[in-house]
Amino acid sequence: MNTTLVEIVDSLEMLDEDHCIFARKPWSTNTLATVGPLTDDFRVPAEVAGEEFEYFLEVYVAIEVLEVFGTRQPNLQERRNLIFYYAENDAYPDWVYS
């Protein structure tokens, strides 16, 4: 099922942690995205790649990334900004520690 990337990011905790998020580039809040499993050899499934979706993040990784906030409850925009930054840079932004 295709939806927007922001809708997927906003509902991470309801998704299967074994699945991945796939999205069309350039990534933005309104980017078309989907969630599903990788192939047995850890690749983007052909039917997903055929729709021009690319690997964004694994669901469990996105959830783990949010743990950097610790006990502080981030607002939706902070969650989104962090997930997008991490997916693009494979690192945490400096602002997350302040």
Side-chain angles (χ1 to χ4, degrees):
M1 176 176 89
N2 297 342
T3 187
T4 64
L5 189 51
V6 75
E7 289 173 321
I8 290 172
V9 168
D10 288 353
S11 63
L12 285 173
E13 290 80 7
M14 294 183 287
L15 301 174
D16 185 333
E17 289 191 23
D18 292 333
H19 284 179
C20 285
I21 303 165
F22 306 104
R24 291 186 180 158
K25 283 195 168 183
W27 295 329
S28 70
T29 55
N30 294 320
T31 297
L32 195 58
T34 192
V35 176
L38 292 169
T39 63
D40 290 339
D41 57 348
F42 304 103
R43 296 183 187 272
V44 176
E47 64 274 7
V48 173
E51 292 187 40
E52 300 179 4
F53 289 105
E54 297 182 27
Y55 170 87
F56 180 77
L57 279 177
E58 289 147 295
V59 171
Y60 84 89
V61 170
I63 292 170
E64 285 181 4
V65 165
L66 292 173
E67 291 176 4
V68 73
F69 289 113
T71 57
R72 183 172 81 77
Q73 237 357 13
N75 63 43
L76 274 178
Q77 195 58 50
E78 289 173 320
R79 283 174 53 105
R80 294 170 182 166
N81 290 344
L82 177 59
I83 295 296
F84 277 74
Y85 186 94
Y86 190 89
E88 287 281 351
N89 300 286
D90 195 28
Y92 293 97
D94 291 337
W95 60 262
V96 80
Y97 300 109
S98 39

